[in-house]
Amino acid sequence: MPPAAHSPVKNMKAEDIRKPDMEKKGLIFDIQAFSVHDGPGCRTNVFLAGCPLQCKWCANPESWICKKHLMFAEKMCKYDHGCRACKDACPYGSIVITESEKPRINWEICKNCRTFECTGVCPNNVLKQCVKEYEPEELVSILRRDFNNWGAEGGVTFSGGDPMLQHEFLIEVLKDCRKWNIHTAIETSAYFPEEIFLQVMEYIHFAFIDVKNMDSIAHEMGTGVGNERILSNISALKASGWKGRLVLRQPTISGYNDSDENARQLIAFMQENDLFEVNLLKFHRLGTTKWEQLGKTYEYSDHGDMSDQRMKELQNIYLKANIACYIGDDTLF
Amino acid sequence: MKHVKCVNFLNLDCEKGMCALSKAIVPIDGEGSDACQSYQPAPECGNCRHFYDGDKYGMGMCKGYEKENWAYATCGAFSCEKYESRRYQEA
Amino acid sequence: MNDAQSKIYDILKARGIDAENADGIKEEDIPEASERFSKLMEIYYSMKVTADMEIPYWYNRLWWENDGDILEVRRARAVGGAYAHSTPTVLPYEKLVMSKTKNFRGAFPFPWVCASFFNSLAESLMNEVDAPAESEADAVSVVGAGGGNVTESYGDIISIAKKFGMRKEEIPVLVKVSKYWEGISVEDISDKYAQMLPDYDQFKRNMDAVVVMFDSFAIPQGREVINYYMPLQYGFDRIIQLCDEKINETMGEAGEDGILGMSRGYYYAAMKEITAGLSKWCDNYGKRAEDLATREPDEEVRANYLEIAQVMHNVAHKRPSTFREALQMTLCCHLGVVNEDPQSGQSIGRLGQVLQPFYEKDMEDGITTDEEVIELLELYRIKITCIECFASAGVSGGVLSGNTFNNLSLGGQNYDGLSAVTPLEYLIVEAAMRAKTPQPTLSVLYDEKTPEDFLMKAAACTKLGMGFPAWMNNQTGMNFMLRQYGAEGMDLYDARAWCLGGCLESAPGCFMPLDYNGKVTMIPGGASPTCGTGIHFTGLPKILELVLTNGLDKRTGKQVFPPHNEKIDTYEQMVDLWKKYLDISNRIVNRINNMQMDIWRKYNMPAVNSLLKPDCFAKGQHIGNCGSRYNACINFESCGTITFINSLASIKKNVFDDRAFTLEEMTEALVNNFGFKTAYETNVFSPDFRESTESASKYDRIFAACIHAPKYGNADSYVDSLLKDYHMFMLHYLPTLRSYYGKPEYLCQISVSTHGPQGFVTLATPDGRLAGTTYSDGSVSAAAGTDKNGIYAIFESATVYDHSQNQNAQMNLKLHPSAVKGLSGTRKLLDVIRAYMRKGGFHVQFNVVGSDTLKEAQKEPDKYRDLMVRVAGFTQYWCEIGKPIQDEVIYRTEYDQA
């Protein structure tokens, strides 16, 4: 694995990561059909690239970067006989074959790549282009097609990354969703200027907003940003008379946000804002290989696990405060 | 005498059956295949008075029907209207 | 519901969200199966699949003792007499009785259909008999891998076809009976005449290269729907009377038909024989139950025996007068039919609609309860699960995966065009949920009129991971019926009576007026012969391979088709050559299969089935003489459709559009397996396993291009349009082939398990599939691992043509259990099913199981004796299916891996 210092993310300035490299065209890193845990009914989940937060436990670190980039799944490379397909394909000389007959990537070069010649030549998809461009109409036509499949309750869920980062594109798509009567859900960090946040939410029927930690300093340590803007946006949303359904989400991580105190503070905040649903997601480690494929080290590779017992205890704290608390995918939507 | 030759033996497969009295699964061959005191002979061609000339494979002749034909000793005869127990005849 | 949940409901309710009625309710727990069921299943799990000689012995004896008689009478006497002589086994825990043979999972060989298999084995079998006895320790078999299959001989048990155990003392009987049929079995006679055809060699070359893999005579009946009307309406004694009346009316009278008219009298004489045989068979079970009662110490068990005796004596003579008797009667007839030929896919049909009047009356009379009915239906499941088919190793293992596809259909429309769902059908689903067995598999005929609560119940059953119910589109099925059988007078009423024969073979039916409980109910049932013989299992990718190799089979070194000697310059030219080779194969294979089936119907005509199937009794003709109402049922069966389509797409894109390399370069890469070791060398048949050889790098570029070529199942019109083209071609081409009934043929698309063996003989394909690995399964499932855009994209791809053009289309999906958890999960599953049905998809079925579980089960089969999976159109115990198919199921894309 290349040293962490060469990772595409760490060497980039915040602006590089967060700023979309074009407007109106959407940068999407995945579209999942038959998504059943991210809103009511059967849904199509659109994962938009780019995120204003960089959570240390993130399961989709490839979603941080809001531009087309490379993913390198070294473990899937099956050759030991001198395959040079990727090396030969790269016009920038970024790929070398090591003595152990494995390709090695120079992330410094690859992070600026726009052409991705290496990705079409590998039969094992070791090198994969992450993030594809979509015109709003292109995405809407997929959604209209999928509308045939959702059933009465389903619809589209925009997640990411954080879909609001590409708010111009998102609003274009959302306007069309309204036109075609498509049910919309969003998963967002709410870490955006209030005006943009409220503008997007106007088109949303169902929202998940993550509140990772009630302590702003801890929030910043875990995610890179404080929580003030998030909390004030939630309050503003409630005050705006928004008619949708809001469920707060919290990836629950041992030693980070699983204390009684954090729960009590979140309850207080929810009661202040007349909120009554929270969804605790037990920390999982599904993202490990993705961190490796991006050439990054994963801080949460060996800690953060929650016991079922503790999840139940936390649930009880919320329930006692008359807040509907769901654990994992055991939800009522 | 073996379970498999007993009137209380209920066929299950090529290696075992069930004893109708004890409801136990009993083997056809090897250990535990010997019948108990409740043994009564099952109706099969080899026990029929119409069966004769059996060879080392148990293949013989049946004269129970209008047309004489070959038969084999271990063929079940519960459903044969011509079956007559040899033992019964001898007694 | 736990405390946390009810608290959540309260909170939401206070907020005006009615979650309890809306969503998320925990589903009801499924009650345990009955004690009788559990006891019998415990026995089942330890059962060896067993073949014995009682029925073949008596069949053979009676056949030859009646030498010289009219053939249909002789045949009925042999079948009926053999049943009447078989040993009835009654177990103390049973309520429903009867089985194929005296054994629990029994079957027997049919040397009169196919003798060569046994005659060629005669010497080696006798040597095994003569070998000195082994030590006692060897006499005990190991249960585990392979389930109940007897894959090798041990102790006094001889393995036949790697599946059946036969006791040593019966081997000389098998050898002696088989000898009678040497040179005159259906197989031998049809082959004798087939050899008169100048193209006979072409046929042989086809079969040797496994371009086509199946002879029709191997399982000449089945893939059809049985019809229980006659015995339910009349009872056996009355049928015998009716035969006498008909004999009086028709014997010696030709009517209007100078060729077949005279045979009517003989038909009724034969029906009299077969009915008497069935009746005696039932009486014998009654007698055995009485016999056991006399020696039974336990009062309760004794009473049970006496109850069985009474039911069996009633069924032997009278029309049924209770639900239990009616169910027992259908079981008797079912076993009667499946015992008269090597058979698979003899479908039960819409049993819950057929038996509803009996259930209804018992409930009205207060003589039974739902729980009692469910118990009977549970016990019925064991009976059907125990139906084994004795065919050669290649057929029962390779094609059928040991399953006999006794499909039970639910739903659809009734005679009046309304929802046909009956209260009894809810209980049939309930019994299947409680009593987990692979058979009968259930099929829902999904119609917009089907009640929502029934669909939910069926979806809840699908979720249990047994692979059923599978879901079929009722409207699509009806449209196919009208399309295929319209020329024979199929109208809308009869179209409504269709259902699944075999695993997925849509079969025509009709409604018959059952007079019971003071009213007439129109009950559905089958009305055709087998809808699953003809040109069977043609490997579409194999034919494409032969186009690329100029007709030469590289695997065997034999010239299968005449060399075309063309330099292929365009895509269209290549497809034309493919059509040409397909036609060469079809013309000769069709003629020979027609002959096989013709010899079969002359000497081995259905006896029991010719009694049951409308309109045989009305016409006075057996099934072989077109006695059935509909006869345009013979078909062409494809295998590897999507592998073929993806291969076309890859060639079109890489060779003809992009000109990335030439067709010759592509062919060379295929012949060299893209530079990888073949599955034969590695014994891994999973499509994602690759082990390179020295020459691998030579083909890197071509292999990558093949892998990256457009793939079916991603809503990509580049490749989907090729599927549509293929279907439009087949729609017009196949009816130019005529069956032995003189009717046009059509496309059947069920691979069963043949995508394993047919993939096995096929080189690497242009879609990047490696040599020897399985073809894609089903007909519209994506090739394993190539569906990158999710389930909705597959639906889009699958429905680019009208599914009612063909007998069927097959879609297998694998879902992770977490995706469909709880009641909301059931709704979501139903949403998916409904979405596909609305698009006109004909069939969809699900494996709701994680790949991890399957991998574990492959490693430790002993621990997973009861694990079931859905394969092609049927459910089977995991441990009883072959490894290539296991690998394929594991590799299939799993949706929603949470």
Side-chain angles (χ1 to χ4, degrees):
Chain A
M1 199 206 302
H6 286 183
S7 87
V9 175
K10 283 217 167 157
N11 285 358
M12 255 182 247
K13 293 192 187 103
E15 296 81 48
D16 286 341
I17 298 171
R18 291 171 195 169
K19 199 177 142 215
D21 55 3
M22 57 199 63
E23 287 173 6
K24 292 286 180 178
K25 263 196 186 177
L27 292 163
I28 290 172
F29 75 90
D30 199 8
I31 299 177
Q32 270 180 15
F34 191 52
S35 168
V36 292
H37 304 304
D38 298 301
C42 301
R43 313 188 69 83
T44 296
N45 202 336
V46 180
F47 294 85
L48 284 88
C51 188
L53 274 56
Q54 287 179 39
C55 304
K56 289 178 174 167
W57 51 83
C58 183
N60 294 320
E62 78 276 24
S63 70
W64 291 2
I65 311 165
C66 192
K67 61 182 229 176
K68 290 187 275 184
H69 63 275
L70 190 70
M71 247 174 127
F72 174 47
E74 191 179 357
K75 281 184 183 155
M76 283 162 71
C77 180
K78 288 181 180 168
Y79 286 140
D80 50 8
H81 67 273
C83 174
R84 299 282 184 277
C86 52
K87 177 181 180 291
D88 295 346
C90 176
Y92 315 106
S94 169
I95 302 172
V96 294
I97 305 294
T98 63
E99 279 168 21
S100 56
E101 291 290 321
K102 293 275 184 182
R104 187 162 62 204
I105 307 295
N106 185 340
W107 286 108
E108 275 304 311
I109 300 174
C110 292
K111 75 173 188 190
N112 294 318
C113 189
R114 294 276 175 124
T115 45
F116 307 99
E117 287 84 352
C118 62
T119 57
V121 301
C122 175
N124 297 311
N125 278 320
V126 172
L127 291 153
K128 211 162 66 178
Q129 180 194 326
C130 261
V131 179
K132 290 196 178 96
E133 289 169 16
Y134 284 78
E135 296 286 350
E137 306 76 52
E138 219 177 327
L139 178 60
V140 170
S141 77
I142 292 174
L143 297 180
R144 287 176 64 193
R145 182 195 82 199
D146 284 1
F147 200 167
N148 287 310
N149 300 285
W150 295 325
E153 296 192 303
V156 58
T157 298
F158 297 97
S159 46
D162 192 322
M164 275 195 200
L165 200 61
Q166 303 184 49
H167 52 89
E168 292 97 339
F169 170 78
L170 183 60
I171 285 174
E172 284 302 305
V173 174
L174 283 170
K175 280 180 181 164
D176 267 9
C177 288
R178 177 172 286 180
K179 180 167 142 196
W180 299 113
N181 295 310
I182 290 173
H183 183 275
T184 57
I186 194 168
E187 290 183 282
T188 178
S189 68
Y191 188 76
F192 295 94
E194 185 180 309
E195 191 194 335
I196 291 175
F197 174 75
L198 292 179
Q199 202 188 341
V200 171
M201 291 304 286
E202 196 192 321
Y203 295 94
I204 299 291
H205 301 113
F206 191 109
F208 298 100
I209 297 179
D210 273 19
V211 179
K212 270 114 185 175
N213 204 313
M214 288 305 289
D215 178 66
S216 190
I217 295 168
H219 196 279
E220 187 170 351
M221 279 170 59
T223 70
V225 302
N227 66 12
E228 293 81 2
R229 183 186 248 180
I230 295 168
L231 299 179
S232 75
N233 271 340
I234 294 171
S235 303
L237 179 67
K238 285 303 287 185
S240 74
W242 179 70
K243 295 271 194 309
R245 184 164 165 190
L246 175 59
V247 176
L248 297 189
R249 259 187 175 169
Q250 184 200 73
T252 310
I253 300 153
S254 177
Y256 178 68
N257 59 6
D258 65 332
S259 67
D260 287 8
E261 178 54 27
N262 189 58
R264 271 196 291 273
Q265 288 185 27
L266 183 55
I267 288 167
F269 173 75
M270 289 178 76
Q271 286 170 340
E272 256 168 55
N273 289 284
D274 197 27
L275 295 170
F276 56 93
E277 287 180 280
V278 66
N279 187 188
L280 305 183
L281 303 172
K282 192 173 151 183
F283 170 72
H284 66 73
R285 207 166 275 121
L286 292 178
T288 315
T289 53
K290 290 189 185 167
W291 285 72
E292 287 169 9
Q293 290 175 25
L294 291 164
K296 296 163 59 63
T297 38
Y298 187 39
E299 196 176 299
Y300 274 88
S301 63
D302 61 351
H303 64 281
D305 296 85
M306 294 292 299
S307 68
D308 287 336
Q309 174 61 27
R310 181 63 189 149
M311 292 301 286
K312 281 225 169 77
E313 286 167 15
L314 286 168
Q315 183 183 39
N316 278 330
I317 296 175
Y318 287 98
L319 291 177
K320 271 186 200 145
N322 266 334
I323 285 174
C325 175
Y326 318 113
I327 303 289
D329 56 26
D330 201 4
T331 57
L332 289 185
F333 41 76
Chain B
M1 282 300 129
K2 297 279 188 186
H3 288 303
V4 69
K5 301 281 178 189
C6 174
V7 72
N8 293 310
F9 181 84
L10 309 175
N11 291 288
L12 290 176
D13 67 11
C14 54
E15 55 176 34
K16 56 195 171 292
M18 180 189 278
C19 171
L21 299 181
S22 71
K23 317 291 185 277
I25 303 289
V26 291
I28 295 177
D29 308 305
E31 203 184 320
S33 64
D34 289 333
C36 69
Q37 289 185 337
S38 310
Y39 172 85
Q40 284 179 46
E44 59 176 40
C45 291
N47 291 338
C48 177
R49 116 187 146 74
H50 300 301
F51 184 81
Y52 69 99
D53 270 3
D55 67 5
K56 68 169 176 167
Y57 298 116
M59 311 279 278
M61 295 298 291
C62 163
K63 58 178 168 59
Y65 289 82
E66 201 182 318
K67 292 181 185 170
E68 204 162 302
N69 215 322
W70 66 274
Y72 65 106
T74 56
C75 185
F78 180 88
S79 304
C80 183
E81 64 265 37
K82 301 290 181 185
Y83 177 78
E84 285 178 63
S85 163
R86 195 191 299 258
R87 197 167 293 226
Y88 175 76
Q89 286 297 315
E90 284 161 3
Chain C
M1 196 189 304
N2 62 33
D3 289 350
Q5 267 182 322
S6 45
K7 175 76 181 166
I8 290 174
Y9 290 136
D10 291 345
I11 295 168
L12 294 181
K13 208 167 184 180
R15 298 286 182 162
I17 299 174
D18 192 0
E20 205 159 354
N21 290 324
D23 226 327
I25 317 166
K26 276 261 165 23
E27 282 173 301
E28 274 186 52
D29 291 335
I30 302 163
E32 295 278 312
S34 64
E35 196 187 334
R36 286 176 196 278
F37 172 85
S38 307
K39 280 182 171 165
L40 288 166
M41 271 316 273
E42 204 178 299
I43 296 172
Y44 176 87
Y45 286 134
S46 72
M47 279 304 99
K48 293 293 168 198
V49 185
T50 299
D52 79 301
M53 288 305 293
E54 274 187 9
I55 290 180
Y57 166 79
W58 278 106
Y59 181 96
N60 188 65
R61 177 169 175 173
L62 293 166
W63 175 266
W64 293 109
E65 284 183 1
N66 286 285
D67 194 4
D69 206 334
I70 294 280
L71 282 174
E72 47 254 66
V73 179
R74 188 177 173 190
R75 163 94 172 137
R77 210 169 274 162
V79 174
Y83 296 175
H85 276 96
S86 84
T87 298
T89 299
V90 177
L91 299 179
Y93 317 125
E94 290 188 313
K95 279 177 108 169
L96 284 179
V97 294
M98 299 186 87
S99 35
K100 274 183 70 118
T101 71
K102 65 180 180 179
N103 293 306
F104 204 80
R105 280 183 83 176
F108 54 86
F110 297 83
W112 43 95
V113 175
C114 168
S116 67
F117 176 70
F118 307 108
N119 283 325
S120 66
L121 287 176
E123 200 177 331
S124 68
L125 285 172
M126 285 310 285
N127 286 341
E128 279 196 75
V129 173
D130 290 336
E134 294 173 49
S135 69
E136 295 230 322
D138 293 334
V140 185
S141 72
V142 185
V143 182
N149 294 333
V150 179
T151 52
E152 47 190 69
S153 303
Y154 61 96
D156 282 337
I157 292 146
I158 310 282
S159 163
I160 299 178
K162 290 195 186 300
K163 177 169 172 75
F164 292 91
M166 183 178 275
R167 292 202 53 80
K168 251 186 191 177
E169 52 270 26
E170 303 196 40
I171 294 291
V173 186
L174 169 63
V175 169
K176 184 158 181 153
V177 169
S178 301
K179 206 75 191 152
Y180 281 84
W181 299 93
E182 189 163 20
I184 55 167
S185 68
V186 172
E187 174 198 29
D188 293 307
I189 297 181
S190 56
D191 194 55
K192 185 167 90 183
Y193 287 95
Q195 288 188 33
M196 292 183 176
L197 285 165
D199 278 351
Y200 180 75
D201 278 354
Q202 178 67 56
F203 172 73
K204 275 304 196 201
R205 289 196 299 272
N206 272 0
M207 302 305 273
D208 290 348
V210 204
V211 172
V212 183
M213 75 170 291
F214 198 74
D215 287 306
S216 284
F217 66 77
I219 36 172
Q221 290 196 67
R223 285 81 66 215
E224 66 192 277
V225 182
I226 202 165
N227 198 310
Y228 302 121
Y229 172 72
M230 285 285 290
L232 292 179
Q233 170 71 12
Y234 298 110
F236 291 141
D237 284 0
R238 176 71 186 128
I239 290 175
I240 291 173
Q241 275 181 0
L242 285 172
C243 288
D244 283 333
E245 290 168 20
K246 286 288 192 179
I247 287 169
N248 189 24
E249 181 188 322
T250 59
M251 196 70 87
E253 295 278 359
E256 302 298 312
D257 185 345
I259 299 166
L260 289 176
M262 287 298 290
S263 69
R264 292 177 300 164
Y266 315 135
Y267 164 85
Y268 293 115
M271 291 305 103
K272 212 177 143 178
E273 294 286 344
I274 196 66
T275 308
L278 291 170
S279 172
K280 178 126 194 293
W281 198 22
C282 293
D283 265 336
N284 288 339
Y285 276 92
K287 280 187 202 153
R288 178 58 165 158
E290 280 156 355
D291 167 55
L292 288 168
T294 59
R295 269 173 282 113
E296 175 56 50
D298 183 287
E299 204 170 309
E300 221 175 288
V301 180
R302 192 164 59 237
N304 186 49
Y305 282 137
L306 291 174
E307 227 174 277
I308 289 172
Q310 195 194 352
V311 168
M312 291 316 293
H313 290 312
N314 283 348
V315 168
H317 301 283
K318 301 185 232 169
R319 65 179 300 199
S321 61
T322 62
F323 171 75
R324 177 169 168 181
E325 285 180 6
L327 185 64
Q328 180 69 59
M329 173 65 95
T330 66
L331 183 60
C332 164
C333 293
H334 203 84
L335 295 169
V337 172
V338 296
N339 258 6
E340 68 178 3
D341 259 325
Q343 245 174 83
S344 75
Q346 187 58 253
S347 284
I348 294 156
R350 291 151 69 167
L351 189 72
Q353 294 159 30
V354 173
L355 296 184
Q356 170 65 23
F358 297 92
Y359 164 72
E360 187 181 277
K361 181 166 191 303
D362 283 7
M363 292 302 280
E364 281 169 11
D365 295 351
I367 63 164
T368 192
T369 62
D370 279 356
E371 281 302 314
E372 233 174 65
V373 169
I374 290 169
E375 184 188 46
L376 282 170
L377 292 168
E378 289 174 5
L379 299 174
Y380 178 76
R381 295 196 62 82
I382 300 185
K383 284 291 173 197
I384 300 297
T385 296
C386 286
I387 295 177
E388 297 288 342
C389 169
F390 195 113
S392 66
V395 174
S396 50
V399 177
L400 311 176
S401 271
N403 201 293
T404 52
F405 324 117
N406 298 270
N407 200 336
L408 193 160
S409 293
L410 307 155
Q413 289 190 4
N414 64 16
Y415 181 78
D416 296 320
L418 304 175
S419 164
V421 172
T422 64
L424 181 58
E425 287 182 308
Y426 289 78
L427 303 189
I428 288 174
V429 178
E430 178 68 23
M433 292 171 81
R434 296 187 193 180
K436 294 190 174 124
T437 62
Q439 292 206 64
T441 187
L442 303 179
S443 296
V444 173
L445 308 181
Y446 176 95
D447 194 274
E448 285 300 321
K449 294 179 182 175
T450 311
E452 191 72 6
D453 62 353
F454 184 75
L455 295 173
M456 283 293 283
K457 177 136 193 116
C461 183
T462 295
K463 272 174 34 170
L464 296 179
M466 297 180 289
F468 56 75
W471 299 74
M472 284 77 172
N473 193 321
N474 189 50
Q475 290 296 327
T476 306
M478 283 171 57
N479 285 342
F480 170 73
M481 288 298 138
L482 292 168
R483 193 195 284 265
Q484 180 63 23
Y485 299 99
E488 290 181 90
M490 168 79 72
D491 64 7
L492 185 58
Y493 288 98
D494 276 7
R496 289 174 182 146
W498 83 283
C499 72
L500 280 308
C503 41
L504 250 174
E505 289 92 331
S506 309
C510 65
F511 289 95
M512 300 294 280
L514 178 77
D515 188 356
Y516 186 75
N517 194 20
K519 62 182 176 187
V520 172
T521 310
M522 297 302 281
I523 59 167
S528 77
T530 171
C531 302
T533 59
I535 305 170
H536 271 211
F537 306 117
T538 299
L540 308 181
K542 183 75 189 175
I543 294 181
L544 182 63
E545 172 190 314
L546 290 164
V547 169
L548 301 183
T549 59
N550 203 17
L552 179 73
D553 184 19
K554 297 278 183 182
R555 189 182 68 98
T556 58
K558 290 188 180 146
Q559 188 72 35
V560 179
F561 292 119
H564 54 70
N565 293 330
E566 287 182 36
K567 177 157 178 5
I568 302 171
D569 293 321
T570 64
Y571 173 77
E572 290 71 24
Q573 186 190 358
M574 183 185 75
V575 173
D576 282 347
L577 286 171
W578 180 84
K579 290 174 183 172
K580 208 161 131 190
Y581 274 176
L582 176 71
D583 192 52
I584 291 174
S585 174
N586 279 345
R587 292 294 153 192
I588 186 64
V589 175
N590 189 46
R591 287 173 79 170
I592 289 178
N593 277 274
N594 277 346
M595 294 169 67
Q596 292 173 352
M597 291 303 285
D598 188 50
I599 299 300
W600 163 79
R601 67 174 170 173
K602 282 190 166 71
Y603 289 89
N604 214 57
M605 66 289 282
V608 183
N609 214 3
S610 290
L611 171 69
L612 301 179
K613 196 79 79 169
D615 300 317
C616 289
F617 203 87
K619 291 185 196 166
Q621 300 293 348
H622 61 73
I623 285 174
N625 284 354
C626 286
S628 310
R629 187 173 299 183
Y630 300 108
N631 293 287
C633 50
I634 308 302
N635 53 33
F636 165 92
E637 197 147 19
S638 60
C639 182
T641 307
I642 294 308
T643 301
F644 169 62
I645 296 297
N646 283 344
S647 296
L648 288 182
S650 172
I651 296 176
K652 187 170 193 289
K653 178 95 171 65
N654 290 316
V655 176
F656 296 112
D657 288 1
D658 294 356
R659 304 208 171 264
F661 40 85
T662 67
L663 197 56
E664 289 69 32
E665 288 172 305
M666 166 81 92
T667 306
E668 195 203 323
L670 299 179
V671 170
N672 290 293
N673 200 31
F674 298 111
F676 297 102
K677 285 189 181 163
T678 59
Y680 322 115
E681 295 165 277
T682 61
N683 198 32
V684 182
F685 294 86
S686 181
D688 67 337
F689 182 83
R690 296 175 197 135
E691 200 178 320
S692 41
T693 66
E694 290 301 308
S695 65
S697 52
K698 199 173 158 193
Y699 305 108
D700 278 338
R701 190 174 64 94
I702 295 178
F703 182 58
C706 288
I707 290 283
H708 289 288
K711 297 282 187 282
Y712 162 86
N714 294 296
D716 177 349
S717 62
Y718 187 92
V719 49
D720 295 349
S721 65
L722 303 182
L723 178 68
K724 187 179 176 187
D725 292 347
Y726 160 77
H727 273 289
M728 294 318 288
F729 164 70
M730 293 302 253
L731 176 66
H732 298 292
Y733 162 68
L734 289 176
T736 67
L737 298 158
R738 295 277 153 162
S739 73
Y740 58 99
Y741 287 123
K743 306 287 185 205
E745 296 182 15
Y746 57 90
L747 180 60
C748 169
Q749 314 190 78
I750 56 152
S751 58
V752 201
S753 305
T754 58
H755 56 298
Q758 295 209 286
F760 188 81
V761 300
T762 306
L763 298 177
T765 39
D767 58 341
R769 172 196 147 276
L770 298 188
T773 62
T774 53
Y775 289 165
S776 58
D777 77 338
S779 72
V780 285
S781 307
T786 64
D787 39 340
K788 308 287 189 197
N789 292 349
I791 213 167
Y792 301 152
I794 300 185
F795 288 177
E796 197 69 17
S797 292
T799 51
V800 292
Y801 73 97
D802 174 11
H803 285 197
S804 80
Q805 288 181 8
N806 317 324
Q807 186 182 29
N808 43 35
Q810 190 178 340
M811 171 78 82
N812 292 325
L813 294 173
K814 193 160 81 174
L815 294 181
H816 195 275
S818 71
V820 290
K821 213 172 64 179
L823 187 64
S824 67
T826 307
R827 281 229 168 92
K828 286 165 186 170
L829 177 62
L830 189 53
D831 281 342
V832 169
I833 294 163
R834 200 192 307 270
Y836 188 55
M837 295 287 138
R838 283 185 62 236
K839 291 182 81 67
F842 175 70
H843 156 270
V844 61
Q845 65 188 13
F846 302 89
N847 268 306
V848 184
V849 61
S851 296
D852 295 350
T853 310
L854 298 178
K855 283 179 191 155
E856 279 302 307
Q858 209 173 33
K859 271 185 234 151
E860 299 188 80
D862 294 14
K863 289 189 186 162
Y864 292 87
R865 179 63 185 83
D866 56 351
L867 177 68
M868 288 179 252
V869 292
R870 192 74 173 175
V871 185
F874 58 93
T875 295
Q876 182 57 300
Y877 287 111
W878 176 255
C879 63
E880 294 192 1
I881 59 177
K883 185 159 185 305
I885 303 291
Q886 286 187 349
D887 285 345
E888 190 266 334
V889 173
I890 289 175
Y891 191 57
R892 219 177 269 169
T893 306
E894 179 176 283
Y895 288 101
D896 193 80
Q897 279 165 299

